[in-house]
Structures are given as structure tokens and as C-alpha cells.
Amino acid sequence: MPQFTDGATDVLHVGIQDSNHTIENSHVVQFVMRIAMLCWRHLRSIEWLAPKGRAAAFALFVISLTAISAPHHNATADDAAPAYQPGWVEVWAGADAASHTWLVFSGVTVSPFSNVYENGLRLRVSGGYGGYVYTGERRSELHTFTARTSYAEALAGYLMRLGPVTAKAFAGVTAIEHDIAPYDPDNPVQGQEIGPKVVAELWINMGASAWGQVDASWTSAHNTSGARVRTGYRVWKDTSIGIEGALHANDMGEDLRGGLFTRFAWNGGEFSIAGGYSGRFLEEAKELKDPYATATLLLQF
């Protein structure tokens, strides 16, 4: 079965057909609400996040999940069960949180001239909103800074399948904003910047059960870059477990992550959840003690 590489990058859809049954609308709604409530409980536990910020983040995440879980077709008893047909749109939404940072995000990739698994043009838009805190010594005094961050991007690219390898390349423009309070004179990552962005994504099938994924991106906006590597093994049907590592950087510094993930895929979608530890690269590479968790839901229709 072809695999997704957008999770990021990378969702449930009512009426997705697997080999035996159709996922019902009520089940999708229940699943979406459970995820939303888990995210809400985590946001409530973050003491530095103001009540208005918690509510805004929760609302944004629920709106994204509700939109992608809206029914595309209501099956009836008179409908014949059609063979699975790959779609031409992928939509995803997710959340990422650690003790000092959080982010909710969503996006869509469109394949205007082919289905999502075939070679061809790809158009992508995505965005996210989040926050973080950090401390630093300024004029011999220790200060705590609170930041809000958001981004939006529009990209065009191409997908090519080369045997066991699926490769995607994108280029476009992105806008990234960091609002920090109080103003930090020693932080170069403040305000809004707009710049070009390039993205490369690889999916590699390594035999019948093992697979690997490599994603990398860079933009001139705050000199922001990122890379993630995953390798997984299908332990039952299309349910995989594996390890991941990621490096995120901008003009302020680098953040390193390492952890485990579980990925469940079906005809038309996937859900993955990951967790591990992170820390400042080089400065604290031996002290990856800040736990993180990420959940992503992706739909193809």
C-alpha cells in the first residue's frame, strides 16, 4: 500500500472504505473529540499559558479537526461498496507540546492532475500558531520571556516515485512571526519575516515491513530550518512502531529531539503519535530532559 509522507508534515474522513467496512460518522466525531479533550487537558496543565491563550489554541485545534472530519459522502444500505480509489487531496492537523512550548498546525496538499500517489504537480498551503517561554540573563539579572509565534506558507512542488522511493520537492514563500514580551534586545528572532522556502521529503520502503522517512526544510525567514528522520516497522497490518530524531533551528539556536512513535494507517488516512525528549543542541546535547509529545491526523480524499 502506498504510504503518506506529509505528516508533518505530516485525519480522518467519514466514508473511508477499508477492505471490510466503512468508518461511521459517529465514530469519527467521538475520535476527534477524544483527541481534542486530551490536547485541552495538556494545555490546561501548562501554567505559563494564559487562559485566553489556552482557549484560542484549543479552539483552533478543534476547528481544524472538525473541518477535516466533515463527511464527504454518507453511505446508505443501498450503496455498493466500491473499490478503494486514491484521492487527490491530503489534509492534516496536529499538535505538538513540551513543558515550555506548544504548537497547533494544519495544512492541505492538492494534486490537481493525478491522485496523491502518482507522479505529478503538488500544491500545498499550511499554517500554525503556538507559544513558548525562555529565560536569559540580561544586565546581570535573570529574566523570563513569553513568546507567541505563527506561520503561514504556500508551496508548489512535484512528486516522483522511483521504485521503493517516493520523493517530493517544494519551493514557495513563508511568513513567520515571533512576538516576545517583554522585548528582548539579545534575541534576533523577533517580529515578522517573509522569505522563500524549500522543502524535500523522502519515503523509502525497505522490504515488506520496514520503512524510512526523511524530511528537510529551510527558509530565509529568521533563517529557520528543520530536519526529521523516522524509521518504522509494521508490526501488524499497517500499524508501525519506530524511532525518530529531529533538529529545528533559527537565528536564536538549535533544538534537538529524539523519541519513539506509533503510526496507524488505512486506505485514505493515518494517525501518528510520538513522544520523547528534547534539549538545546550542542549546549545541552547530553541533557535531553525536556519531554515532548506530538500527534498528527491526516486524511486523503
Side-chain angles (χ1 to χ4, degrees), residues 4 23 106 158 298:
F4 295 105
I23 300 176
S106 62
Y158 194 87
L298 183 146

Side-chain angles (χ1 to χ4, degrees), residues 78 110 189 192 198 227 230 264 296:
D78 296 330
V110 177
V189 183
Q192 184 185 90
V198 291
R230 276 183 165 184
F264 171 65
T296 306

Side-chain angles (χ1 to χ4, degrees), residues 252-275:
M252 188 63 177
E254 302 82 22
D255 182 77
L256 181 68
R257 288 183 165 192
L260 305 175
F261 71 89
T262 299
R263 175 181 179 271
F264 171 65
W266 62 92
N267 286 342
E270 69 173 63
F271 173 73
S272 66
I273 185 168

